[in-house]
Amino acid sequence: MQTMPRRDEETRFNDCAQLLVNAWRQTMVHGIDCPLIAQQFRCSCGAEGREVFTAFCTFLCALAMAQRRCLTVNPPGRHALTTDEVRMLTLVAAAQNDCPATLEAHLSWLAWRPLRQTLEASVRELAALLGASGQRLAMPA
């Protein structure tokens, strides 16, 4: 039997997803050098914020290089998630929750085979650092 997350755990899951999606969207509009994005990571991740932000930047670079097609990201402020935003969150969640089949499936959908290993390494590092800073993503149903 699987237990339902407590309300505070759900909030943290939602906060982590919101952090990642908002940071990706703002990066697409303002670039990675935007100080507001770095500030969001410091506020959400505490002392590890800078390290998590660096891992996020590495992950985005790996994703940009490995992508099989142009990925769709909504503009900042939109509530709805694109399919690619959901796949990115699921990729990170699979790495955090040790779900190798889900991780491999999403790597296959998102990345060219020769570049999957680089993307996988970057998402695993990001997932570990997010977890160490108290940020968690639940696996989607």
Side-chain angles (χ1 to χ4, degrees):
M1 184 168 107
Q2 189 172 354
T3 61
M4 295 297 292
R6 293 188 324 254
R7 183 75 182 132
D8 59 331
E9 288 175 342
E10 284 180 14
T11 300
R12 266 186 287 148
F13 293 147
N14 292 335
D15 288 347
C16 186
Q18 186 174 6
L19 170 68
L20 295 175
V21 170
N22 286 341
W24 192 12
R25 290 174 177 182
Q26 288 180 356
T27 298
M28 297 302 291
V29 173
H30 304 292
I32 206 71
D33 293 329
C34 177
L36 294 175
I37 301 169
Q39 178 64 25
Q40 288 176 359
F41 278 89
R42 284 192 299 273
C43 289
S44 296
C45 301
E48 293 88 8
R50 184 181 184 123
E51 191 175 7
V52 177
F53 177 60
T54 300
F56 176 75
C57 294
T58 301
F59 167 71
L60 282 188
C61 287
L63 183 59
M65 295 299 294
Q67 68 186 3
R68 295 177 60 189
R69 60 179 175 72
C70 187
L71 301 178
T72 305
V73 180
N74 272 336
R78 277 266 178 95
H79 292 291
L81 296 175
T82 68
T83 301
D84 292 325
E85 290 169 338
V86 171
R87 284 188 176 147
M88 179 272 296
L89 291 173
T90 304
L91 184 68
V92 176
Q96 268 194 334
N97 294 289
D98 194 29
C99 299
T102 303
L103 181 66
E104 183 58 34
H106 281 76
L107 286 169
S108 296
W109 288 327
L110 291 169
W112 290 107
R113 179 174 295 279
L115 300 171
R116 284 184 199 151
Q117 189 174 13
T118 301
L119 181 58
E120 181 178 357
S122 69
V123 75
R124 286 186 183 279
E125 179 182 2
L126 175 61
L129 290 170
L130 283 166
S133 71
Q135 296 293 318
R136 300 280 314 163
L137 287 172
M139 285 302 299

